Amino acid sequence: TDDDGLMPSPNAQRFEYGTRDFGRYGGIAALIDWHEALGIEAAQSWSRQLAEYLRSRLGECQGITLHTPLDWSDASALTTFSVDGVPAHEYIGGVWQSHKMRLRGVHEVNGARVSTTLFNTVAEIDLLIELLQSYIR
C-alpha cells in the first residue's frame, strides 16, 4: 500500500494503465456488419489494386528502390521500399509530421513498409509518392 492507500492488483492487471476506450468497443458490431456486407472478396480486391498501383508508382520513381515483388502471387498488401541514399527515419518522420501518414521502418533495407488496405485511397498513394519525391537526391 502506498501513502494514498492504493494497493496494486495481485495479478498482471497491475501493469495496465489508463482507461478503456469504450466507444471503440461499442462500434465493433457495426464494423463487423459493414465488413460482412461489403464482402471479403471486395476488401481483398481493393487492397490488391492499391498495392499494385503503389508499386507501379514507386517503380516509376528514379531514386526509389522497390523491395517487394511486383507479382501478387509473391506478395501481399504490404509494400517495402527505400529512398536511395536517404536514412529511412528522415522520410518516415517527415511524412508523419507533415501529413500523419504512418510508414513502418524496415531496418534490414534502410527502408519503409506501407500497408494498403480497405480504408486507403488512390489519392493517398499519390500524395505519398509526391512526399517521397521530395526526399530523392
Side-chain angles (χ1 to χ4, degrees):
T1 306
D2 70 8
D3 293 339
D4 296 322
L6 298 175
M7 185 175 340
S9 177
N11 56 32
Q13 190 174 20
R14 78 177 72 171
F15 301 110
E16 295 180 9
Y17 61 92
T19 58
R20 302 276 194 272
D21 181 0
F22 292 107
R24 183 181 324 174
Y25 299 136
I28 288 176
L31 176 62
I32 291 170
D33 290 344
W34 173 78
H35 197 270
E36 287 177 347
L38 178 67
I40 191 70
E41 293 83 14
Q44 289 174 341
S45 175
W46 183 243
S47 291
R48 179 179 178 169
Q49 289 175 51
L50 286 176
E52 290 174 345
Y53 179 70
L54 172 62
R55 292 177 194 141
S56 171
R57 292 293 317 273
L58 288 169
E60 295 169 358
C61 297
Q62 295 284 340
I64 292 182
T65 299
L66 181 63
H67 301 286
T68 301
L70 292 175
D71 188 354
W72 183 255
S73 64
D74 296 326
S76 69
L78 301 175
T79 300
T80 302
F81 64 91
S82 54
V83 178
D84 301 342
V86 180
H89 67 87
E90 283 186 27
Y91 52 91
I92 290 171
V95 300
W96 173 254
Q97 289 299 320
S98 66
H99 288 82
K100 300 300 183 230
M101 289 185 165
R102 173 114 25 223
L103 305 178
R104 173 74 64 193
V106 180
H107 305 291
E108 296 84 356
V109 295
N110 186 36
R113 183 178 73 214
V114 174
S115 176
T116 50
T117 187
L118 185 59
F119 304 106
N120 297 120
T121 67
V122 169
E124 289 172 329
I125 292 172
D126 290 339
L127 175 59
L128 175 61
I129 297 298
E130 180 182 323
L131 295 171
L132 291 173
Q133 287 175 331
S134 70
Y135 290 91
I136 296 173
R137 296 180 180 154

